[in-house]
Amino acid sequence: MREVAIVGAGMTRFGELWGQSLRDMFAEAAVGALNDAGADHVDSIYVGCMSGGQFVGQEHLGPLMADHLGMTGVPATHVESACASGGVALRLAYMEVASGMSDLVLATGIEKMNDGADVTNVLATAADQELEVYYGVTFPGLYAMIARAHMAKYGTTEEDMAWVSVKNHRHGAMNDKAQFPGEVTLEQVMASSMVAAPLRLLHCSPVTDGAAAVLLCPLEQAKEYTDRPVKIIGSGLATGSMALADRADPADLDAVQRSARSAYKMAGVGPRDIQVAEVHDCFSIAEICCIEALGFVEPGTGKDAAREGFTALGGCVPVNTSGGLKSKGHPVGATGIAQAIEVFTQLQGKAGARQVENARVGLTQNMGGSGASSVVHIFQGV
Amino acid sequence: MPSPRYTREIPSRYRLEAGRCKGCGKVVYPARRICPACRAADFETVNLSRKGTVVTSTVIHVPPDEFLMEAPYAMAVVETPEGARLMTQVVDCDPSTVLPGMEVSLEFRLIRKEGKSGILCYGHKGVPVA
C-alpha cells in the first residue's frame, strides 16, 4: 500500500443553514478543499451522508454532487454508516489512494437536518427498527440507557457528564465554524430540560446542517499541493451488536474498542502517543465511554477526565478541541470529515487559539447508531 | 416510520418464543437464523418466562410523535431468567422508579397505533412486580 496524506480541507459553517441546500453546502466544502490544495481535478469522490433520502427526499448523491462540482463524469460513491458515514467515506477514500487505484480523491460528508423532516424519527432509523424503535425508544433514550448502565457499573454521575459539555463548549467558543460557540456553566447544564433521563438538553448534540471535505493523495505527491501535508497512518472500522439488548454490557462500546485496536496496530502507535483527538460526543456520556474504549483512560475512570482537565486544552490528551459534536454541531454524515479537518488543522499547527502545542500525532473516532459501527483514524504531521 | 408488518405475522414474537442455540446455549429473542455468539444455525424453541429484571433504563421525555400522549414514559432493557434480553416500556408505575434491578412481569399490550389509519401494533410491556 502507498502512504497517503491529506493535502486540503474545506467546510461550511455548522448550524441552521436555511439559505443553503444540500448541494450548495457540498459545493462550498468541496471547492474549499480543492482551493486549499490548489487542485483543479479529482479522480474520485466519496460522499458520506446518513440519510439524504429521509431528511430532504434526495438519494443518488454521488452523481448529483459530482454534477454540482462541475465534475460530471468523475466516479462518485455515496457511503452510509449512520452518524459514522463521514468517517467511513474517509476510510474508503484512503483505501482508494493507498491501493494505487486513484491519485487524487475527495472525501466528503454532508447532511441537511433542518428541513422539516421529523429528525427524531429519521435518526432512529440508525437503531434497530424491529426491536427498539417499534417500542418507542429514541436516540437520546438509547444513550441514556448506556449512561445509566455506566452509572450503575462505575459510579459515574450526572455532574461528571455535565463537565463534558462544559469543556466542549469552552473549546467550541474558539471555533468560528461552530453552531453553538457560547460557553455554558455546570449549573446551566444541570438545570437544562430533561430529554431522556438522565440526559438533559445540554448533554445532547444539536440538529445541524453542514458539509466538510478533505482531499487525499499519495504522500510522495503531497508537496505539489501543500507545504504541510498530514499523513493517515492508521484506519480501523468495526461493528458491534445493533440492539443495545444484545450487547454483553451496555456500559461498554465494543465496536469503538475494536476499531481503535486495529487503527493503533496499523499505525504502530498506542493511546499514550495521541496528542489531540476528536471523539464522537453525540451525547456527553458517549465521550466518557469512548475515551475509555480508546484507551486514553482506564475503564470506569472516564468520568473524571473532563472535570480534572485531562481531556481539556492544556491537559494530557485534549479531546474535541473543535468543540466536538456538542458545541460545533453534528450534521451526522459530515461529522467524521469535520473531525478529520480539526486534527489536520491541529497537526498543521494552524488551529489558532485552540492550537495544541507541538501536536504531531492525532486521532479521530466517529460512530454510528448507539455504537454499532465505529471508525478510527490516526494522523501524523509530516 | 412504518412498523414492520411482519412483527404481526411472526407468531413467535407475540408468544415470547426465543431460540436457544444448540451449539452454545445462547438464548436469543426474537429467534434468529444464525447464532450471534457461535454462528451455529440450529436452534430449539424456548418459551420465555413472562418476567425479568431491568438491566438498564431511561425515562423518555421527548418522544417520537406516535408516543406523544404517553410521555414521560420509562423504557428498559429487561433480562428474562432464560438470559434473553428485550427492549420494553415499563408501565403502570411512576417512570422515575424504573431502575436497574427492578423486577417486572411482561404483559401483552398495545404498543402504538400506526399511521393515519391507526393500525394497532402489539407487543410486550413490563409491569413492576408488586
Side-chain angles (χ1 to χ4, degrees), chain A residues 343-360:
Chain A
V343 171
F344 173 64
T345 310
Q346 287 281 359
L347 299 183
Q348 285 189 311
K350 294 179 179 174
R354 57 182 199 278
Q355 179 66 44
V356 176
E357 278 181 44
N358 304 316
R360 285 262 305 146

Side-chain angles (χ1 to χ4, degrees), chain B residues 46-100:
Chain B
V46 183
N47 289 307
L48 297 180
S49 311
R50 295 187 175 268
K51 61 181 183 182
T53 308
V54 171
V55 175
T56 186
S57 63
T58 181
V59 182
I60 306 285
H61 289 260
V62 180
D65 286 351
E66 288 162 303
F67 293 88
L68 212 54
M69 298 301 285
E70 291 166 59
Y73 54 92
M75 296 220 60
V77 172
V78 172
E79 183 170 320
T80 73
E82 295 77 20
R85 286 183 177 183
L86 49 154
M87 175 77 71
T88 64
Q89 282 189 32
V90 178
V91 296
D92 296 352
C93 64
D94 173 356
S96 68
T97 62
V98 180
L99 293 168

Side-chain angles (χ1 to χ4, degrees), chain B:
Chain B
M1 292 302 117
S3 74
R5 284 162 198 275
Y6 39 83
T7 298
R8 294 193 295 272
E9 302 297 335
I10 303 174
S12 60
R13 298 217 176 167
Y14 52 79
R15 289 179 190 156
L16 275 188
E17 291 170 357
R20 179 184 284 128
C21 174
K22 287 186 178 172
C24 72
K26 185 171 178 67
V27 177
V28 288
Y29 174 83
R32 298 186 181 204
R33 301 294 171 99
I34 296 164
C35 175
C38 76
R39 275 189 255 163
D42 203 6
F43 288 89
E44 59 185 347
T45 300
V46 183
N47 289 307
L48 297 180
S49 311
R50 295 187 175 268
K51 61 181 183 182
T53 308
V54 171
V55 175
T56 186
S57 63
T58 181
V59 182
I60 306 285
H61 289 260
V62 180
D65 286 351
E66 288 162 303
F67 293 88
L68 212 54
M69 298 301 285
E70 291 166 59
Y73 54 92
M75 296 220 60
V77 172
V78 172
E79 183 170 320
T80 73
E82 295 77 20
R85 286 183 177 183
L86 49 154
M87 175 77 71
T88 64
Q89 282 189 32
V90 178
V91 296
D92 296 352
C93 64
D94 173 356
S96 68
T97 62
V98 180
L99 293 168
M102 178 185 250
E103 302 288 327
V104 298
S105 62
L106 294 169
E107 298 188 357
F108 192 68
R109 296 277 182 104
L110 176 69
I111 304 296
R112 61 191 174 120
K113 293 173 184 171
E114 177 192 312
K116 286 186 180 132
S117 50
I119 297 168
L120 303 179
C121 300
Y122 291 95
H124 291 83
K125 287 182 178 176
V127 176
V129 175

Side-chain angles (χ1 to χ4, degrees), chain A residues 269-288:
Chain A
V269 303
R272 298 279 175 277
D273 300 309
I274 304 301
Q275 294 159 306
V276 58
E278 288 286 300
V279 165
H280 198 97
D281 62 322
C282 49
F283 299 92
S284 53
I285 184 63
E287 181 171 311
I288 292 173

Side-chain angles (χ1 to χ4, degrees), chain A residues 13-97:
Chain A
R13 183 174 72 79
F14 279 7
E16 292 185 22
L17 309 182
W18 295 102
Q20 281 182 285
S21 75
L22 191 63
R23 62 193 70 186
D24 298 330
M25 296 190 304
F26 169 86
E28 181 184 333
V31 167
L34 292 172
N35 288 348
D36 188 31
D40 61 2
H41 72 284
V42 298
D43 299 323
S44 177
I45 301 167
Y46 286 90
V47 182
C49 184
M50 174 180 160
S51 196
Q54 294 185 84
F55 281 122
V56 292
Q58 181 69 62
E59 295 287 13
H60 213 179
L61 298 174
L64 177 70
M65 298 309 161
D67 187 358
H68 280 267
L69 195 53
M71 289 192 182
T72 292
V74 170
T77 309
H78 172 209
V79 180
E80 188 275 324
S81 189
C83 318
S85 300
V88 178
L90 176 63
R91 177 178 159 89
L92 294 178
Y94 165 78
M95 287 161 66
E96 186 165 332
V97 176

